Amino acid sequence: MYYIKKKSFYLWVVVIMVIFNSCYDEILIVPEYSENVFNVKLNNNQVDRILDSRGEQFYISPVPGLIYGGVPLQLDHMKIRGQSALNFQRKSYSVNLDDALILENQNDSTSYVYIDKFKLLSLVYDYTYIENRLSHLLLNEIGLWGLHTFYTQIVFNDDMHQGLYLFVEDPEDYLMKNENAEIVLRRYYRGEIAKIEHVNGLTSSDSEKYVNDFHEIYSMLSTYSGRELYDKLKGRMNIDSYMKKMAFDYIIKNGDLTDEIFFWAKKRNGSSYFDILPWDYDDIFSVVPHEIGRAWAVGTTFGERVYESHADVLDELNGRLIFSVEDDIDYIIATDDYLYSMYLIQLQSVLNLFTPNTIEQAFNKVDNELEFYYEIPEVINQSKFDASETSVERFRENIQEKRQFMLARIQAIKLKVNDSK
């Protein structure tokens, strides 16, 4: 893989294209990336603005230079992105290239991915940098994650180190290119929409229809129940994948999930059909779910719901194996007997895939990838600008603790599922 320690690599691909009865060879040379570092070329004013700004999203202007592993990239624009990271010195970035970055496919070493839009996440709330990468590996195991992701570094102007980052392929671009999504919606609280992106050429009326059909999902929740509700939801969205995500969130104790999901849609049999893509797992292994003390975030389809303590949530769940009921879809799945029975099927399917060997392999992969970066003093030094500083000792302690936690939790949940049958 291209990100393995200090090795460089040479990748050569010959693409033979046949057009009608004539053919020709087009030789595509994949660049040699001498190191896994993004070098951003900025003037002094740009550096100061990035490091000093707080709570502000903005495009870096004029467009900076960008070099990856010694290879210059043609940059269309680079933007300060996200929400939580905006309040820290180490910002997160959205990057759009004019020409694609060509990388070895993580799921198929015989092929390549062409990425011209991606995120560089600063992971400022994850003091040992394991949570998103670990979640991506496990989500991939259950068929809910296909985006290209890897650890990397950022420097400004050759020598101003910015610490460890996580490269993540742009989700909207990925869904439109790989899943033929016509529209991608970022969900917000109470069934609202935070962001909309759609393919070029989608008419405003078609876009509006998709949005209305998304809202109709929430209308269904209070109109139908039981098997009828499940069938209605199944006709409009991939409710099984949604339940599978809920199962994953329960296992890994995801504390922030309502607005960390994309709904993407295309036409199926002439009607809108939505599927999902999970996003941003920077609050896993949480003690309590997000809805506690946040009445403003809790869905209102079934009236006002207020959870002042974890005990309130547990009382609502009445022993059911779900972590959060903040969103109304999660709430009805937790409280409707038929939907919950279908959820248990998805929970069991996830548990079947999460064998001890699978969990060990995921933790070992993250451990091996991060081991290299914890040998770089600048990576550790830059963590002083995060929510909490890291260290080799804290990393070792945390990854071992979470490894044992996951193995024990999965075993305990399996017993609970068997007891509920």
Side-chain angles (χ1 to χ4, degrees):
M1 302 291 285
Y2 57 88
Y3 54 80
I4 294 178
K5 299 195 175 183
K6 298 181 179 178
K7 287 186 178 180
S8 62
F9 61 88
Y10 300 84
L11 300 176
W12 300 85
V13 179
V14 177
V15 179
I16 303 177
M17 302 180 66
V18 180
I19 303 177
F20 299 110
N21 293 323
S22 63
C23 66
Y24 60 93
D25 292 343
E26 176 186 336
I27 298 177
L28 175 63
I29 300 176
V30 180
E32 175 205 348
Y33 305 121
S34 59
E35 55 184 358
N36 182 20
V37 176
F38 285 90
N39 186 0
V40 188
K41 298 294 189 174
L42 303 159
N43 62 44
N44 291 337
N45 290 335
Q46 290 173 318
V47 171
D48 290 342
R49 187 180 182 196
I50 292 169
L51 300 183
D52 296 342
S53 68
R54 296 293 184 270
E56 181 185 4
Q57 293 186 5
F58 58 90
Y59 290 92
I60 303 174
S61 180
V63 177
L66 184 62
I67 299 171
Y68 177 63
V71 178
L73 304 176
Q74 296 301 312
L75 184 61
D76 179 75
H77 67 259
M78 189 169 181
K79 180 184 179 183
I80 306 298
R81 68 163 302 278
Q83 294 296 328
S84 56
L86 296 177
N87 295 312
F88 291 83
Q89 176 170 300
R90 290 197 327 114
K91 304 299 191 297
S92 292
Y93 304 92
S94 290
V95 179
N96 283 29
L97 302 176
D98 283 331
D99 298 315
L101 187 63
I102 306 171
L103 303 170
E104 182 183 340
N105 190 332
Q106 291 178 331
N107 296 316
D108 178 7
S109 61
T110 65
S111 64
Y112 303 90
V113 291
Y114 301 77
I115 300 174
D116 53 16
K117 295 182 181 180
F118 55 90
K119 315 295 185 187
L120 294 169
L121 307 182
S122 58
L123 309 176
V124 292
Y125 278 108
D126 182 359
Y127 73 97
T128 59
Y129 308 125
I130 69 173
E131 295 185 0
N132 262 294
R133 177 66 173 144
L134 177 67
S135 297
H136 296 165
L137 291 171
L138 294 175
L139 285 165
N140 183 264
E141 288 290 333
I142 60 175
L144 293 182
W145 185 265
L147 278 68
H148 202 84
T149 176
F150 59 91
Y151 292 112
T152 186
Q153 301 171 76
I154 292 181
V155 299
F156 292 165
N157 299 329
D158 302 322
D159 58 5
M160 190 180 295
H161 208 289
Q162 297 302 297
L164 183 71
Y165 277 75
L166 189 68
F167 176 109
V168 183
E169 190 174 359
D170 182 84
E172 292 101 331
D173 195 56
Y174 169 86
L175 291 169
M176 291 176 189
K177 287 180 177 177
N178 294 276
E179 301 292 350
N180 297 317
E182 290 196 333
I183 194 167
V184 182
L185 311 176
R186 175 82 178 264
R187 185 175 70 180
Y188 193 62
Y189 299 99
R190 297 184 169 180
E192 296 302 318
I193 298 171
K195 182 182 178 184
I196 300 172
E197 287 202 19
H198 56 73
V199 294
N200 293 332
L202 189 71
T203 66
S204 58
S205 60
D206 282 340
S207 178
E208 184 178 357
K209 179 67 165 57
Y210 276 123
V211 171
N212 290 338
D213 288 345
F214 171 79
H215 288 307
E216 188 180 3
I217 291 172
Y218 283 84
S219 298
M220 291 176 180
L221 304 181
S222 58
T223 305
Y224 307 98
S225 63
R227 175 66 178 269
E228 186 178 16
L229 174 57
Y230 177 78
D231 289 342
K232 290 288 185 181
L233 291 172
K234 196 173 183 67
R236 179 53 52 84
M237 65 177 290
N238 192 337
I239 188 63
D240 292 343
S241 283
Y242 190 94
M243 290 177 174
K244 189 180 292 185
K245 179 192 180 300
M246 286 179 62
F248 178 78
D249 290 343
Y250 172 67
I251 292 168
I252 209 159
K253 301 184 74 172
N254 183 13
D256 184 13
L257 51 87
T258 297
D259 64 332
E260 302 294 0
I261 185 173
F262 292 97
F263 283 74
W264 58 272
K266 58 185 176 184
K267 291 291 189 296
R268 194 177 78 166
N269 299 324
S271 300
S272 304
Y273 184 78
F274 289 87
D275 211 324
I276 64 157
L277 176 68
W279 183 249
D280 201 2
Y281 278 78
D282 67 348
D283 195 17
I284 60 175
F285 309 118
S286 295
V287 177
V288 298
H290 188 263
E291 59 262 33
I292 295 171
R294 295 184 174 92
W296 58 268
V298 179
T300 57
T301 299
F302 303 99
E304 184 179 8
R305 297 188 285 120
V306 178
Y307 306 101
E308 296 296 342
S309 68
H310 196 197
D312 292 339
V313 177
L314 295 177
D315 287 345
E316 186 84 88
L317 287 168
N318 193 27
R320 293 193 163 177
L321 308 180
I322 288 172
F323 191 62
S324 171
V325 290
E326 184 173 65
D327 188 81
D328 286 325
I329 300 179
D330 302 63
Y331 175 80
I332 196 61
I333 290 171
T335 56
D336 184 284
D337 290 343
Y338 185 81
L339 266 62
Y340 182 69
S341 70
M342 301 306 290
Y343 163 80
L344 287 179
I345 294 173
Q346 298 304 322
L347 175 58
Q348 184 66 68
S349 73
V350 174
L351 292 171
N352 290 342
L353 291 170
F354 283 176
T355 65
N357 185 56
T358 299
I359 300 303
E360 289 282 5
Q361 285 183 346
F363 271 93
N364 288 343
K365 188 170 182 60
V366 173
D367 192 345
N368 291 336
E369 290 173 357
L370 282 172
E371 180 182 15
F372 167 64
Y373 294 103
Y374 271 93
E375 294 175 357
I376 301 174
E378 291 87 349
V379 166
I380 297 175
N381 291 339
Q382 282 294 309
S383 74
K384 67 186 177 185
F385 299 111
D386 297 345
S388 181
E389 285 191 56
T390 195
S391 68
V392 174
E393 294 74 22
R394 296 191 80 188
F395 165 63
R396 284 271 160 246
E397 180 182 0
N398 187 48
I399 198 165
Q400 185 60 20
E401 176 188 315
K402 296 307 189 296
R403 182 197 306 265
Q404 297 306 316
F405 168 83
M406 282 289 290
L407 290 169
R409 180 165 174 80
I410 289 169
Q411 185 59 34
I413 294 171
K414 286 180 178 179
L415 295 175
K416 290 180 180 179
V417 171
N418 289 335
D419 290 343
S420 68
K421 292 179 179 178

